[in-house]
Amino acid sequence: MRIDWDVPVLMDDGLALRADVFRPEAEGRYPVILSYGPYGKGLAFQEGYKTAWELMARDYPDAVAGSSNRYANWEVVDPEKWVPDGYVCVRFDSRGAGRSPGYLCHNNARETRDIHLCVEWAANQPWSSGKVGMNGISYYASNQWRAAASQPPHLAAICVWEGWNDAYRESARHGGIICSFRKNWQDMQVKTVQHGQGDRGAKSRVTGDLVCGPETLSPEELERNREDMWQSFLSRELWDSYYAERSPDLSKVGVPLLTAANWGGQGLHTRGNFEGFAGAGSKQKWLEAHGGSHWAPFYTDYGVKLQKRFFDHFLKGLDNGWDRQPRVQLQVRHPGEKFVMRHENEWPLARTRWTRFHLDPGDLRLSEKPAAEGALTYDAMGEGVTFSMPPLERDTEITGPSALKLFISSSTADADIFAVLRVFDPNGKEVLFQGALDPKTPVAQGWLRASHRKLDPKRSLPYRPFHTHDEKQPLKPGEVYQLDVEIWPTCIVVPKGYRVALTVRGKDYDHGGEAASLSNMKNPMRGCGPFIHDDPTDRPPAVFGGKVTLHFGAKHPGHVLLPVIPAK
């Protein structure tokens, strides 16, 4: 293939971004697969994300087969697997990252404008057919929602592979509680490849050029050249124009789209993939959901084949049957990381039996019968309270979002609720699942700060409460309040004899076993991956370390609404 390194692309404010272009040797016009992000287009996957690469090569050998992997780069397509099939692959370093100069500020209106202009530039090159698709994981996925909502004329299709879209509810603050992931993410994955690291940074193993550009700036200059994302989040507890700017109007997304979710992505992307599918204005839209790690399935034969069928149809106009592809493709999860592919026509599934399981304080049971009167108190920083079903009499599938209704009082003016959906085997041992990043996670999680309990009646659904996060409503100690907690979508077929349980607590879940780690993640992972909520500024112990009481009975009908799926 032909490779054009570091092509300058002028933006409308006069700044030139840099792109690498991989294209077929034969002259002609080809459709384009475009990505735009901050991880350094010249940084080898194998070097920048060493443990992730090694795990992928070990567990998914097909992901690294059929390529020299010479041009492998974190979370974007491998050109060796796309260019021979008649695609041009264009990789942009985002403004202020890698070899693109400028002020580094993530997900804002300037970035959205940049992507819009990059799409139009690619469409108008002599090697381009004029049809541009966007593809990629995570950052390279989430920005597709905003780019598509800006409606570039030549954006023909998007493949959002594990990509959030709500900057507040999915990225910064879960249920109003700040998530520490972004602080560590900017430190470890972005600052390290900021434009101006120069000779302090890595070199491209292919070209020998400095990954972060030719100039080396002082630490003080680098700091002035980037937004402190963490302080931006920390200083904004409520939804405002900052988060709105970084969250797309999904109704304006009109291009054909494939949104691919990971059941194990609790804490960042999963919600956005499902909400994006439901909310996008596109008439031609498809949903896929899988398990496994956050990065590897994208590169597997399964992932690449799915992506190519989609793009071949919409970028090349091939009659390959994609127009007859069922709108929903699920890898249905069973314990032991076993997956069975099944096609559906909608999300949530129309045949869902939305079933209320009441929280019974008497024997800590999840019961379909209403609970007796009672109350239970737990220390917010303790292990909380776990309610469990009796052993299941038959295999039971739970697929979809869940909603928890609680009635609580607190000893302080606020309380954070962490809701954890769990599965236990017949011996009472918890069954843990491969998360997108953490190898041992519970089946689903949800979060809510009690002072953020206000609901948006227009956007709330029985199975997915939607909180406004636009005002704080402090608690009066001892008074009872109703809370509706969103639990993110999940999928599991629970075998006969196993039990489903729900834990309500005031801190992050921890499986208590050996922690896992990745080279690009700061904290050891103990069940929540890097998506933890431990910031003392946001969660002062005097407020969030008190005692919480759960109330039950006819006046306080606490329950969890689960999506039970009958067999077809």
Side-chain angles (χ1 to χ4, degrees), residues 178-198:
I178 201 165
C179 177
S180 301
F181 169 69
R182 281 298 178 199
K183 178 167 87 173
N184 300 329
W185 170 80
Q186 192 174 40
D187 284 346
M188 297 192 70
Q189 290 183 240
V190 180
K191 289 181 184 178
T192 51
V193 287
Q194 183 181 352
H195 182 80
Q197 288 285 359

Side-chain angles (χ1 to χ4, degrees), residues 6 15-16 18 38 40 93-104 190-198 200 210-218 221-223 225-226:
D6 238 21
L15 184 133
R18 296 284 175 166
D93 274 338
S94 61
R95 182 177 293 246
R99 294 183 66 83
S100 290
Y103 184 72
L104 184 66
V190 180
K191 289 181 184 178
T192 51
V193 287
Q194 183 181 352
H195 182 80
Q197 288 285 359
R200 288 190 300 264
L210 292 167
V211 168
C212 301
E215 57 182 340
T216 302
L217 303 178
S218 69
E221 288 174 301
L222 289 173
E223 189 172 359
N225 273 358
R226 65 176 180 257

Side-chain angles (χ1 to χ4, degrees), residues 145 165 170 250 257 259 271-281 285:
W145 298 116
N165 61 61
E170 294 153 14
L250 290 171
L257 71 91
T259 169
R271 181 185 187 274
N273 283 110
F274 288 105
E275 289 289 312
F277 175 73
K285 55 184 178 180

Side-chain angles (χ1 to χ4, degrees), residues 502-568:
L502 175 83
T503 297
V504 180
R505 53 196 272 143
K507 63 177 182 179
D508 285 305
Y509 169 88
D510 187 327
H511 56 56
E514 185 178 352
S517 61
L518 286 169
S519 60
N520 57 307
M521 298 294 163
K522 189 170 187 176
N523 62 292
M525 299 185 291
R526 304 179 182 276
C528 296
F531 309 112
I532 55 175
H533 309 79
D534 60 353
D535 184 79
T537 305
D538 184 66
R539 304 189 70 218
V543 177
F544 296 99
K547 291 185 180 294
V548 175
T549 300
L550 305 178
H551 299 265
F552 310 90
K555 292 183 179 178
H556 307 116
H559 65 268
V560 60
L561 184 71
L562 296 182
V564 178
I565 309 299
K568 278 190 173 181

Side-chain angles (χ1 to χ4, degrees), residues 266-329:
Q266 307 281 319
L268 186 56
H269 296 303
T270 298
R271 181 185 187 274
N273 283 110
F274 288 105
E275 289 289 312
F277 175 73
S282 307
K283 289 184 171 63
Q284 296 174 298
K285 55 184 178 180
W286 286 264
L287 169 68
E288 187 272 352
H290 55 268
S293 73
H294 171 51
W295 59 95
F298 178 82
Y299 296 99
T300 61
D301 291 345
Y302 166 83
V304 173
K305 182 180 177 182
L306 185 73
Q307 296 156 40
K308 282 185 179 175
R309 281 187 59 225
F310 171 73
F311 282 120
D312 281 352
H313 183 73
F314 288 109
L315 299 190
K316 293 182 177 180
L318 296 187
D319 183 9
N320 60 4
W322 183 269
D323 54 329
R324 299 183 294 279
Q325 168 84 5
R327 290 305 174 105
V328 176
Q329 178 169 304

